[in-house]
Amino acid sequence: MSHDLVVLEDVCRFYGEVLGVNHINLSIGPGITSLVGPNGSGKTTLLSLIAGLIRPSKGRISVLGYRPDQPQQLMRILGYATQFDSFPMGLTGLGLIYSLLRMSGYPHSDCRKMANQALEQVGLVQDSHRRIGAYSKGMKQRLKLACAIAHQPQVLLLDEPLNGLDPLIRATIIQMLRRLGREGRHVIISSHVLNEVEMISDQVVLLSGGYVAAEGPIHTVRTEIKDQPMEFLIQCDKPRLLACSIFQHDHVVEARLLPEDQGLLVKTRDANQFCRTICRLALGQVQIHGIIPTDDNVRSIYEYLVGNQEASK
Amino acid sequence: MAVYKQQYRPYEGPRTSPIWRFLVPLRYSYAKILQSRLLVLLLALCMFYPCACATIIYLSHNSPALAALRLRSGILPQVDGRFFYFFCTVQGSLAFVLTALIGPGLVWPDLANGALALYLSRPFARLEYVASKMTILVLLLSTITWLPGLVLFAIQAGCVGWDWAVDNAWLAGAILVASIVWIVVLSLIGLALSAWVRWRTAAGVAVLAVYFVGAGLGRAINNIWQTRYGYLIDLGEVMNTVWAGLFRYYRGPGLSPVHAWLMLLLVCLVCIKALASKVRGLEVVR
Amino acid sequence: MTGLLRRQLWGIMRLEIRRLFLSRMSLVVYLLAFAPAILLIGHATFETRYRQRLRSIAKTHKPLAGLDQVYPGMSMQQVVERLGRPYAQRFGRRGSPTVFYQYTDGTTNLTVVFMQGYVWRLLYREPTSLPEYLRLLSGIFNLYYLRLGIFFGAVWVFASLFRGQILDKTIHYYLLCPVRREVLMAGKYLAGLLSMILVFDLGVLFQWIGTLWLFDKATLAGYLDQSSLRQLLTCVAVTALGCLGYGSVFTAVGLIFRNPIVPAAAILAWEQINPFLPAALKPLGMIHYLQSLLPSSAKLDQQIPPMISLLIRPGEPARPTVAVIWIVTVSLVLLAVCCVLARRLQVNYATD
């Protein structure tokens, strides 16, 4: 078992007859990894399996060399902000984090310091002495994040961490996650917000129906989707001429002129050949201002890999 | 003209009568309740005593059957106020057990999951919500209390004759009143505890405790203070006193029926107050 | 025990004790534990004032003879000749020929009920003696405290140690701490046990204080000299053992069953019918061993039906050492089972 990876080997989890996740093989390294998928695709199940809150029906999991059934070791290096908005009764924000740190075995003075640090990171210091029952949804969300990061874990599992946050706090939290990723921690996020996933993720794991549909850096994943032609927007001075020239090549399946001289939208089966063709044409009579890949993003990948399956259901 | 005025078309079709809307949540509750095999088994067990009573009534009017079973006619109990008093005691105890099992799960999940706000954000008042939840228990408990009670009365009337039915019509009234009073008290206690106690388990324990701890403490009060007023907190004793009064059955010295009725009224009022303070769309925590 | 383990255990207990002592839910446990004590202390307060009042009345209205010098059938005039004028006189309801005369010698109160001018009934209210009070106390302990108070307290506290938090959807906060599940189990159980023992043993102590408060130093000294304090200590120990035993049972029940109310009701029924069970089955109930440890059998009043007196007095009590060993062993076995269950505990709130 690798000591710097979160490894899942042929992991399956069934809830009775209902499939949670099936045959999951993943190796997640440091940085920010996003789990993306529609509702019920198994994102939360996967996070809970990694945290040991549920056991796999089959397969093995190792988190930096620790097994999930050894909470006394695993939870020292792992923090998990779950999707549940429930908190133990009658506690304040500070009281909850302090108590959890005391349960983890930290001495009193350290607990106070660490709890305050965590609350500061999520911008909740001012409200730390209020009872959690009186918190708003966004504050509860931040408190869950604070609980997860309070003991400075190496692996951070965050289930929909940006839900219910206002734009300013959202930006702060994204910054914090980026920093944690840069520090070499394993930050695994489950999210629906695709543009934010794209903004912060180093790699994505696309889940669909309990299976991994794709994994890796976004660009790599896109290039591996062979059955979907890649789409480029070309901005040039003579789009009509370029369209005529480029359409003669076999790898080009579609060329569409956008209105008001916005450019030419080209779909190609082979990105490398397309680049060579464009280079050749650029050396000729067409002056090219820019080439922008328009479907090399999480949203497109999601639509290609998940949208088709969802539509066929 | 504003865009919404041009495009928005509210529902203009027919609506159901508001009077019967409280029945809507019932179907889901029953579906859930009857999923439990234990409850179905318990419901079946609750029919054992009425069946035994029906057999007794039938046998007591069937000399050939008695002779075939080699039983004397005097061995079987007489069908009178005492007979139905014991019927109510047995079925009432079973009704209590059913309430302890079902009652706690009625309001608590709605409060815990914020479903109350969903109900009350529709044209569905708090009173209708409580009525809806209460109807679940009322209907279920009716099937094991006054319904079989009246069936027994009808069997006896069928065996003896119309004159008996006319002379003892008060018994039918007593069965109905005794059962309905107990059902209402149990339902209100079940709902109030379900609303006040956060967990289903704890609410179930609380229902049991109201009955058993009340009885224990009542006895303790009687012994410490040399009084009989301790029985006022013994729900079983209070109800037995009310039933004994209704069935004209003398149980010996104990509570007076007036005190027992007043105590039941007080219990109901406290439960209604408890429900009124908890069944709200929003709970403010400071 | 390593420092880390101790800190973790204390961390868990700290949070749990706080929850068990300070939440609104804990009011039920306080009520169960202190209700008899409140009754006894209330009664003691009333009785003290009543006795003082009788003493002060006796100074001004002392009867001419002993209160036992009147008999049913005597005329009103004969009674007044024997005892003098009553300190209080009351008439029956309008139209009723009943008259009540009250006399006191400072300790006993006598109500003479006249019917149409002749003594119909004599109602003596004598001060209850210490042994009688202690029997009463023992009855309350046996019939209410042990069978109902501690039982329901244990269901309330221990069945919700895990199940309550699963229903609240907060158990994952505990499971996400770097703590062995066994330590978590032990911490929760110990917190529940300490809270229960503290509250219920305090309840026992207050009951005794409420009872002994009524008596003067001389009576108490005589009582204490007889080393009868052993009864109090036994009650305290039996309470602690009851909490230990029922605690382990309901911790396991809370971990095994999604709706612990069904097994709790079944156990309650089993414990209540224990005295009526055949001799071979009696030892299967916790109450049999707890009652076997009690020094004296309780006697509540003369009107107790034979069925209830059976509840109070176990037929063939177990030997104290056997009883203690049985309760402790069963508790340890159940706690071991709980540890296994806690290790296997998964968080899947959707199914709960």
Side-chain angles (χ1 to χ4, degrees):
Chain A
M1 286 287 175
S2 175
H3 288 267
D4 58 351
L5 291 175
V6 176
V7 183
L8 292 96
E9 286 176 39
D10 198 28
V11 172
C12 305
R13 167 72 200 197
F14 291 86
Y15 300 99
E17 290 177 1
V18 179
L19 167 70
V21 290
N22 205 5
H23 298 299
I24 303 285
N25 287 291
L26 283 174
S27 291
I28 301 170
I32 300 180
T33 304
S34 291
L35 303 181
V36 184
N39 292 335
S41 58
K43 301 187 293 290
T44 300
T45 300
L46 203 61
L47 291 180
S48 296
L49 281 165
I50 295 170
L53 291 185
I54 52 174
R55 286 194 308 276
S57 310
K58 192 186 153 202
R60 282 201 307 171
I61 299 169
S62 150
V63 181
L64 312 194
Y66 296 113
R67 292 204 323 261
D69 61 354
Q70 299 169 327
Q72 66 276 20
Q73 293 161 343
L74 176 70
M75 298 308 169
R76 296 215 166 280
I77 55 143
L78 186 140
Y80 181 17
T82 62
Q83 60 173 335
F84 308 110
D85 267 342
S86 42
F87 294 89
M89 266 187 291
L91 290 174
T92 62
L94 180 66
L96 173 68
I97 302 179
Y98 173 84
S99 300
L100 295 177
L101 288 169
R102 284 298 295 265
M103 276 174 63
S104 306
Y106 293 100
H108 164 76
S109 54
D110 289 354
C111 290
R112 237 182 151 76
K113 205 168 71 188
M114 290 162 84
N116 276 319
Q117 274 174 358
L119 287 164
E120 205 176 312
Q121 286 190 64
V122 296
L124 212 56
V125 175
Q126 278 190 331
D127 298 297
S128 61
H129 292 284
R130 279 173 66 191
R131 280 176 59 179
I132 303 169
Y135 279 15
S136 69
K137 185 176 169 60
M139 287 159 85
K140 284 182 181 169
Q141 189 69 21
R142 281 185 278 160
L143 182 62
K144 283 194 286 183
L145 284 172
C147 288
I149 61 171
H151 58 297
Q152 294 151 10
Q154 174 65 32
V155 180
L156 201 55
L157 309 179
L158 308 173
D159 200 345
E160 307 279 0
L162 303 173
N163 262 8
L165 300 182
D166 66 53
L168 287 178
I169 298 293
R170 193 176 275 248
T172 314
I173 299 298
I174 288 175
Q175 259 184 0
M176 183 189 81
L177 296 179
R178 278 183 174 153
R179 179 174 55 78
L180 293 171
R182 275 198 307 273
E183 285 172 6
R185 303 192 200 208
H186 299 64
V187 184
I188 305 174
I189 300 170
S190 125
S191 182
H192 281 115
V193 189
L194 297 178
N195 49 359
E196 277 168 355
V197 165
E198 191 164 353
M199 233 195 305
I200 57 176
S201 306
D202 299 316
Q203 61 170 353
V204 291
V205 174
L206 203 64
L207 288 164
S208 174
Y211 290 87
V212 174
E215 61 158 316
I218 296 163
H219 178 70
T220 316
V221 173
R222 178 65 192 93
T223 49
E224 283 177 9
I225 304 173
K226 306 282 187 202
D227 58 338
Q228 286 288 344
M230 291 189 76
E231 198 176 74
F232 294 92
L233 174 68
I234 306 169
Q235 290 166 332
C236 61
D237 57 344
K238 294 168 186 160
R240 285 172 190 280
L241 180 64
L242 182 64
C244 293
S245 315
I246 207 164
F247 208 64
Q248 291 166 2
H249 296 269
D250 287 345
H251 59 86
V252 175
V253 292
E254 187 182 325
R256 184 152 46 100
L257 282 166
L258 296 179
E260 296 170 10
D261 287 338
Q262 284 178 60
L264 177 69
L265 203 62
V266 180
K267 282 189 179 177
T268 172
R269 275 197 218 97
D270 191 333
N272 293 333
Q273 256 193 317
F274 170 75
C275 289
R276 280 197 289 275
T277 309
I278 285 292
C279 286
R280 216 167 32 246
L281 290 169
L283 294 172
Q285 53 216 18
V286 183
Q287 195 175 356
I288 292 174
H289 306 309
I291 303 169
I292 307 161
T294 54
D295 67 347
D296 193 3
N297 54 36
V298 179
R299 183 175 296 279
S300 304
I301 296 170
Y302 187 90
E303 274 174 22
Y304 295 149
L305 292 177
V306 179
N308 292 342
Q309 290 178 28
E310 291 292 303
S312 64
K313 275 183 188 174
Chain B
M1 186 185 278
V3 173
Y4 84 92
K5 282 184 181 169
Q6 294 171 36
Q7 295 187 346
Y8 173 65
R9 290 281 178 273
Y11 177 75
E12 285 167 350
R15 285 169 203 254
T16 54
S17 164
I19 302 167
W20 300 109
R21 267 178 221 155
F22 77 97
L23 292 173
V24 175
L26 278 189
R27 66 182 82 176
Y28 303 107
S29 302
Y30 276 122
K32 198 178 166 196
I33 286 168
L34 295 174
Q35 269 176 357
S36 164
R37 275 181 230 156
L38 181 81
L39 272 173
V40 175
L41 184 73
L42 194 62
L43 271 173
L45 280 177
C46 290
M47 291 301 160
F48 176 78
Y49 188 71
C51 289
C53 288
T55 313
I56 287 170
I57 294 172
Y58 174 75
L59 282 178
S60 61
H61 297 98
N62 195 325
S63 311
L66 271 180
L69 291 168
R70 294 180 183 173
L71 290 171
R72 283 183 293 110
S73 59
I75 203 169
L76 296 173
Q78 220 180 344
V79 182
D80 51 8
R82 186 170 178 269
F83 179 88
F84 283 108
Y85 166 79
F86 282 108
F87 172 82
C88 277
T89 310
V90 173
Q91 293 303 100
S93 308
L94 291 168
F96 167 77
V97 175
L98 270 181
T99 308
L101 285 176
I102 299 167
L106 291 179
V107 181
W108 162 80
D110 289 343
L111 284 172
N113 299 316
L116 217 55
L118 289 177
Y119 279 119
L120 301 180
S121 61
R122 276 146 183 82
F124 196 75
R126 286 162 50 183
L127 187 66
E128 284 169 302
Y129 174 82
V130 173
S132 165
K133 295 290 173 181
M134 205 167 151
T135 312
I136 296 167
L137 277 173
V138 169
L139 291 182
L140 208 64
L141 300 186
S142 293
T143 57
I144 63 160
T145 51
W146 62 269
L147 272 172
L150 289 184
V151 169
L152 291 181
F153 181 84
I155 293 173
Q156 171 72 2
C159 291
V160 179
W162 179 246
D163 288 346
W164 183 91
V166 173
D167 292 345
N168 294 282
W170 64 273
L171 265 179
I175 292 168
L176 203 63
V177 173
S179 304
I180 286 176
V181 167
W182 184 226
I183 288 171
V184 169
V185 170
L186 281 182
S187 309
L188 283 173
I189 290 175
L191 291 185
L193 287 173
S194 177
W196 266 89
V197 184
R198 284 174 61 96
W199 302 317
R200 186 181 55 191
T201 312
V205 174
V207 175
L208 289 177
V210 163
Y211 194 87
F212 288 99
V213 175
L217 271 181
R219 268 191 184 280
I221 290 172
N222 286 350
N223 283 285
I224 293 169
W225 291 86
Q226 297 294 312
T227 176
R228 294 197 183 280
Y229 286 108
Y231 286 134
L232 282 173
I233 60 165
D234 181 348
L235 195 60
E237 185 65 25
V238 168
M239 209 53 228
N240 279 330
T241 306
V242 167
W243 285 337
L246 286 168
F247 289 105
R248 301 174 192 174
Y249 169 64
Y250 180 68
R251 296 174 62 237
L255 270 182
S256 84
V258 176
H259 286 148
W261 277 103
L262 285 175
M263 192 60 203
L264 285 184
L265 188 68
L266 183 69
V267 168
C268 291
L269 288 176
V270 169
C271 291
I272 289 169
K273 176 79 182 123
L275 277 169
S277 65
K278 273 287 164 184
V279 177
R280 291 172 189 277
L282 190 70
E283 191 177 12
V284 179
V285 181
R286 287 187 181 85
Chain C
M1 195 191 288
T2 65
L4 175 67
L5 196 63
R6 202 170 49 238
R7 281 205 301 272
Q8 287 184 335
L9 208 55
W10 174 238
I12 298 162
M13 285 172 66
R14 191 182 154 277
L15 196 57
E16 285 295 303
I17 287 175
R18 187 192 165 100
R19 186 172 70 87
L20 293 170
F21 270 119
L22 299 180
S23 69
R24 206 181 59 194
M25 303 282 280
S26 54
L27 288 176
V28 173
V29 179
Y30 293 140
L31 181 74
L32 289 169
F34 296 124
I38 292 167
L39 286 176
L40 284 163
I41 291 172
H43 181 253
T45 313
F46 170 81
E47 193 69 19
T48 313
R49 286 187 181 175
Y50 179 71
R51 288 181 187 185
Q52 277 172 356
R53 189 172 148 255
L54 288 188
R55 276 198 295 274
S56 68
I57 288 170
K59 281 178 191 165
T60 52
H61 295 83
K62 196 166 176 63
L64 301 174
L67 295 180
D68 53 352
Q69 294 301 306
V70 286
Y71 309 100
M74 288 172 84
S75 69
M76 199 177 274
Q77 197 179 352
Q78 282 174 317
V79 171
V80 173
E81 277 170 7
R82 286 262 171 101
L83 300 180
R85 298 298 308 164
Y87 75 83
Q89 185 178 344
R90 192 158 56 86
F91 295 95
R93 284 180 191 167
R94 200 178 294 171
S96 161
T98 324
V99 180
F100 302 86
Y101 276 15
Q102 299 229 335
Y103 294 93
T104 181
D105 58 1
T107 49
T108 305
N109 188 62
L110 169 66
T111 306
V112 186
V113 186
F114 294 100
M115 184 74 89
Q116 291 176 332
Y118 289 92
V119 176
W120 177 51
R121 286 181 76 183
L122 295 167
L123 304 170
Y124 289 95
R125 192 179 190 280
E126 288 171 342
T128 316
S129 66
L130 182 56
E132 277 175 278
Y133 256 114
L134 292 175
R135 267 206 302 278
L136 177 70
L137 193 62
S138 170
I140 290 172
F141 182 79
N142 212 324
L143 205 61
Y144 167 76
Y145 215 60
L146 210 51
R147 287 181 169 274
L148 297 169
I150 294 173
F151 182 91
F152 276 105
V155 183
W156 193 264
V157 168
F158 290 97
S160 61
L161 280 182
F162 283 90
R163 188 56 52 186
Q165 291 201 299
I166 291 172
L167 291 172
D168 259 357
K169 299 182 182 172
T170 55
I171 191 77
H172 62 272
Y173 287 104
Y174 288 73
L175 303 187
L176 289 171
C177 286
V179 181
R180 293 177 74 93
R181 296 278 178 94
E182 291 86 345
V183 178
L184 179 65
M185 222 301 296
K188 276 177 163 280
Y189 177 76
L190 282 176
L193 187 64
L194 279 180
S195 319
M196 280 279 291
I197 288 178
L198 188 66
V199 171
F200 279 90
D201 271 340
L202 269 178
V204 172
L205 282 176
F206 286 150
Q207 284 171 39
W208 282 69
I209 289 168
T211 306
L212 300 181
W213 184 5
L214 266 174
F215 299 94
D216 53 24
K217 279 181 187 167
T219 318
L220 285 180
Y223 167 68
L224 295 174
D225 284 348
Q226 289 166 11
S227 70
S228 300
L229 264 181
R230 203 175 147 198
Q231 192 179 344
L232 168 63
L233 294 177
T234 312
C235 284
V236 168
V238 169
T239 301
L241 277 173
C243 295
L244 180 90
Y246 284 128
S248 58
V249 170
F250 290 113
T251 306
V253 163
L255 274 164
I256 297 169
F257 296 93
R258 264 187 222 160
N259 185 4
I261 185 68
V262 180
I267 294 168
L268 174 69
W270 180 259
E271 293 288 83
Q272 296 298 325
I273 62 163
N274 184 276
F276 313 111
L277 292 173
L281 290 177
K282 273 183 189 175
L284 295 178
M286 194 72 75
I287 194 72
H288 174 74
Y289 295 98
L290 291 172
Q291 279 191 325
S292 301
L293 288 168
L294 290 174
S296 64
S297 296
K299 185 170 165 243
L300 274 179
D301 59 23
Q302 301 300 322
Q303 295 163 352
I304 286 184
M307 293 278 271
I308 291 185
S309 64
L310 248 178
L311 285 174
I312 297 167
R313 192 176 291 112
E316 289 173 19
R319 287 217 314 264
T321 39
V322 173
V324 173
I325 290 171
W326 192 89
I327 292 171
V328 173
T329 311
V330 166
S331 301
L332 289 176
V333 169
L334 284 170
L335 290 177
V337 172
C338 289
C339 285
V340 175
L341 293 169
R343 271 192 81 85
R344 292 182 182 171
L345 184 69
Q346 299 189 63
V347 176
N348 187 12
Y349 296 136
T351 58
D352 289 289

